[in-house]
Amino acid sequence: MTAGSGQTSHTRVAAALRTMIETGELQPGDQLPTQEELTAEHGVSRTVIRQAMATLSAEGLIDRVRGGGTYVRVKRPVFHISATYVTQQGDEPRATWTTEAAKHGLVGTQTITYVGETIANDEIASLLGIAPDSSIYTRKRIMEINGDPVQFADSYYPYHIAHGTELARTAKLRGGTIASLERLGYQLGNCHEIVRARPATDDEKRMLQLKDGVPVLVQRRTTYTTDGIPVEVSVSVLAGDRHEMHYTLPAHA
Amino acid sequence: MTAGSGQTSHTRVAAALRTMIETGELQPGDQLPTQEELTAEHGVSRTVIRQAMATLSAEGLIDRVRGGGTYVRVKRPVFHISATYVTQQGDEPRATWTTEAAKHGLVGTQTITYVGETIANDEIASLLGIAPDSSIYTRKRIMEINGDPVQFADSYYPYHIAHGTELARTAKLRGGTIASLERLGYQLGNCHEIVRARPATDDEKRMLQLKDGVPVLVQRRTTYTTDGIPVEVSVSVLAGDRHEMHYTLPAHA
DNA sequence: GAGTGGTCTAGACCACGCC
DNA sequence: GCGTGGTCTAGACCACTCA
């Protein structure tokens, strides 16, 4: 039960380095000893050192730079996502990606990557309350902060709602999709939001520039009219290290 | 640019296996070829095969069982967490962990691991609107589903609110902490919830039995009186592969 | 006991950052 | 060009599962 206890060599090395990071002996941004140095220090092969570092990297504690060394990971600034994109406050204009970013001194932009008619998969059909394989309209966009892509946002509309409207055209919608639905005459009531976390896929890692171990948040939102008819389903995938979801709820409904 | 294109050997092997999983050629629960078989098939060393499998494991696609083979990961059932623990619907009794679990045919239990006086750290103090290092009361519990621990839930109360009350005693609270606060005479107004995702720590992986790559959800909730005074801060850490957060929001506030 | 995945070694070469 | 991390080999032994 000495300081070096543990099942395996790489577990012991990982624990030793983890402790140095957790106690602050190594600060965010600090460089770790090189793999060669650690090999000598712990009297193990480089394979063991690399296994330990893979563990710490997956835990989000370190970053390894090919040719440049290994460093304690620095947390990236977190962007607050609140339901104000949907929930309008009194007579104020509805918040948009750009206005919310500006509030935090950031530049929020978006790129529309696809708008068109598609076939609803089971999940979207179920959320929209329509038959699977129904025709729908799909809008796909990538949201960026200071030029970095940080979020994918796809919206889905029943065919008859979007057909022939601005929702079916490849152009930005003034005030966002919710404002657009209201312009089309829909009285919006509640929306239902589901948030999950999961490991990033290979594509997401590349597109969102996610470091080792960083998960994604998946937000699924269905917006209903006051009559309870679903008019929009939105599925967003957000970089897990850059986003926080904020909600304000009443203690009594 | 053949089917085997890609930067490195382990990337190619990973891509080949990933494709087999994504296309359904390998179904959840199916066993993958052994490392030895893949070594022969791809003409590379076992190190390369293991590197590819480490990647897929971190992506949540496969499970490796020492001595037992490698399998396509089977998704675990997801438990729905909704704000009904806090937001009471009319005159119905407030939902609790146990009643919500029962609604899904599951057995929800909780274990209280700590109740007592502590010192607020900066984060909790800030959320409670009190000075850092103030005395507070802390309640820590572990929530279980069918006996498996799936969530840590810690609650924090300003000293004067909990001192001498049932909140300061090591016993379960009838109807949950929110119901308890109401019994103590507090008129509750809104609560504010913040949800994040991050890689699991070593401890969390062990305690929540999280497989490779599975992140955790962190939920921070502050409950206020109708006068806007914070009375409770709750910080929960949830197994990312077993939980979904549900919210219902009005389109107009 | 056979099969399978985990650990570990020793060594070679490559790719990249930095001076 | 040197230093650092990434890739890869060949081989050995261990720990665990399952028949």
Side-chain angles (χ1 to χ4, degrees):
Chain A
M1 281 302 166
T2 65
S5 73
Q7 273 79 40
T8 61
S9 298
H10 75 259
T11 302
R12 278 194 296 277
V13 174
L17 292 170
R18 194 188 290 115
T19 301
M20 290 175 73
I21 295 170
E22 282 170 354
T23 60
E25 191 177 337
L26 284 169
Q27 293 284 322
D30 283 358
Q31 183 169 4
L32 272 66
T34 66
Q35 296 181 355
E36 197 181 4
E37 284 167 349
L38 289 168
T39 293
E41 183 184 336
H42 289 89
V44 294
S45 74
R46 200 172 145 223
T47 306
V48 171
I49 301 298
R50 287 184 49 72
Q51 169 76 30
M53 287 190 157
T55 301
L56 298 179
S57 186
E59 289 172 2
L61 295 176
I62 63 172
D63 288 322
R64 294 172 292 175
V65 185
R66 190 196 193 96
T70 303
Y71 302 85
V72 180
R73 190 176 293 184
V74 178
K75 287 205 180 82
R76 297 203 279 185
V78 172
F79 192 58
H80 297 205
I81 302 286
S82 62
T84 48
Y85 300 112
V86 185
T87 60
Q88 190 172 27
Q89 307 294 316
D91 289 337
E92 292 175 33
R94 221 176 273 279
T96 66
W97 181 251
T98 308
T99 62
E100 279 294 291
K103 230 184 266 181
H104 296 85
L106 303 166
V107 181
T109 53
Q110 56 171 294
T111 305
I112 296 176
T113 55
Y114 178 83
V115 176
E117 200 182 326
T118 58
I119 302 297
N121 63 25
D122 289 1
E123 181 205 341
I124 302 300
S126 161
L127 290 169
L128 279 176
I130 60 178
D133 301 331
S134 299
S135 277
I136 55 172
Y137 275 95
T138 298
R139 298 181 67 88
K140 290 177 184 275
R141 0 197 244 302
I142 298 175
M143 317 307 259
E144 297 125 7
I145 291 288
N146 295 346
D148 294 337
V150 297
Q151 176 185 348
F152 298 105
D154 301 343
S155 308
Y156 306 92
Y157 306 89
Y159 185 88
H160 71 277
I161 287 180
H163 187 67
T165 74
E166 60 181 356
L167 289 170
R169 286 193 285 275
T170 309
K172 287 183 187 159
L173 302 171
R174 185 163 45 86
T177 61
I178 299 289
S180 180
L181 283 164
E182 289 186 320
R183 275 200 294 278
L184 290 171
Y186 295 97
Q187 299 276 331
L188 302 182
N190 289 330
C191 66
H192 186 228
E193 218 169 287
I194 305 174
V195 177
R196 291 188 44 209
R198 60 163 172 75
T201 66
D202 197 45
D203 284 346
E204 288 159 356
K205 263 185 271 192
R206 200 169 41 250
M207 300 284 292
L208 301 178
Q209 300 162 46
L210 299 180
K211 294 180 194 268
D212 225 3
V214 174
V216 293
L217 281 163
V218 181
Q219 176 203 50
R220 262 171 293 198
R221 188 179 58 225
T222 310
T223 305
Y224 300 88
T225 64
T226 49
D227 300 329
I229 313 289
V231 290
E232 178 190 79
V233 165
S234 157
V235 178
S236 297
V237 177
L238 301 81
D241 61 339
R242 302 190 130 195
H243 294 277
E244 244 179 29
M245 317 299 284
H246 285 240
Y247 299 95
T248 298
L249 307 159
H252 298 271
Chain B
M1 279 301 165
T2 64
S5 71
Q7 272 80 41
T8 60
S9 298
H10 76 260
T11 301
R12 279 193 297 276
V13 174
L17 292 170
R18 193 187 291 115
T19 300
M20 291 175 73
I21 295 170
E22 283 169 355
T23 60
E25 189 176 339
L26 284 169
Q27 292 284 322
D30 283 359
Q31 183 169 5
L32 273 66
T34 66
Q35 296 180 356
E36 198 181 4
E37 284 167 350
L38 289 168
T39 293
E41 183 183 336
H42 289 89
V44 294
S45 74
R46 200 171 145 225
T47 306
V48 170
I49 301 298
R50 287 185 48 72
Q51 168 76 27
M53 287 191 159
T55 302
L56 299 179
S57 186
E59 289 172 3
L61 296 175
I62 63 172
D63 288 321
R64 294 171 292 176
V65 185
R66 189 197 192 98
T70 303
Y71 302 85
V72 179
R73 189 175 294 184
V74 177
K75 285 205 181 80
R76 297 203 280 186
V78 172
F79 192 59
H80 297 205
I81 301 287
S82 63
T84 48
Y85 299 111
V86 186
T87 60
Q88 190 173 26
Q89 308 293 317
D91 289 336
E92 291 176 34
R94 221 177 273 281
T96 66
W97 182 251
T98 308
T99 62
E100 279 294 292
K103 229 184 268 181
H104 296 85
L106 303 166
V107 180
T109 53
Q110 55 172 293
T111 305
I112 296 176
T113 55
Y114 178 84
V115 177
E117 201 183 324
T118 58
I119 302 297
N121 64 26
D122 289 2
E123 181 205 342
I124 303 301
S126 160
L127 290 169
L128 279 176
I130 60 178
D133 301 331
S134 299
S135 276
I136 56 172
Y137 275 93
T138 298
R139 297 181 67 88
K140 289 178 185 275
R141 3 196 241 302
I142 298 176
M143 317 307 259
E144 296 125 8
I145 291 289
N146 293 347
D148 294 338
V150 298
Q151 175 183 349
F152 298 105
D154 302 344
S155 308
Y156 306 93
Y157 306 89
Y159 185 87
H160 72 277
I161 287 180
H163 187 66
T165 74
E166 60 181 356
L167 289 169
R169 286 193 285 277
T170 309
K172 286 179 187 160
L173 302 171
R174 184 163 44 87
T177 60
I178 298 291
S180 181
L181 283 165
E182 289 186 320
R183 277 200 294 278
L184 291 170
Y186 295 98
Q187 299 276 330
L188 302 182
N190 289 329
C191 66
H192 186 229
E193 217 167 287
I194 305 174
V195 176
R196 291 188 43 210
R198 59 163 173 75
T201 66
D202 196 45
D203 284 345
E204 287 159 356
K205 263 184 269 190
R206 199 169 40 249
M207 300 284 292
L208 300 178
Q209 300 162 48
L210 300 180
K211 294 180 195 265
D212 226 3
V214 174
V216 293
L217 281 163
V218 181
Q219 176 203 52
R220 266 172 291 190
R221 189 179 59 225
T222 310
T223 305
Y224 301 88
T225 63
T226 49
D227 300 328
I229 313 289
V231 289
E232 179 190 78
V233 165
S234 156
V235 179
S236 297
V237 177
L238 301 82
D241 60 340
R242 302 190 131 194
H243 294 277
E244 246 180 26
M245 317 300 284
H246 285 239
Y247 300 94
T248 298
L249 306 160
H252 298 270

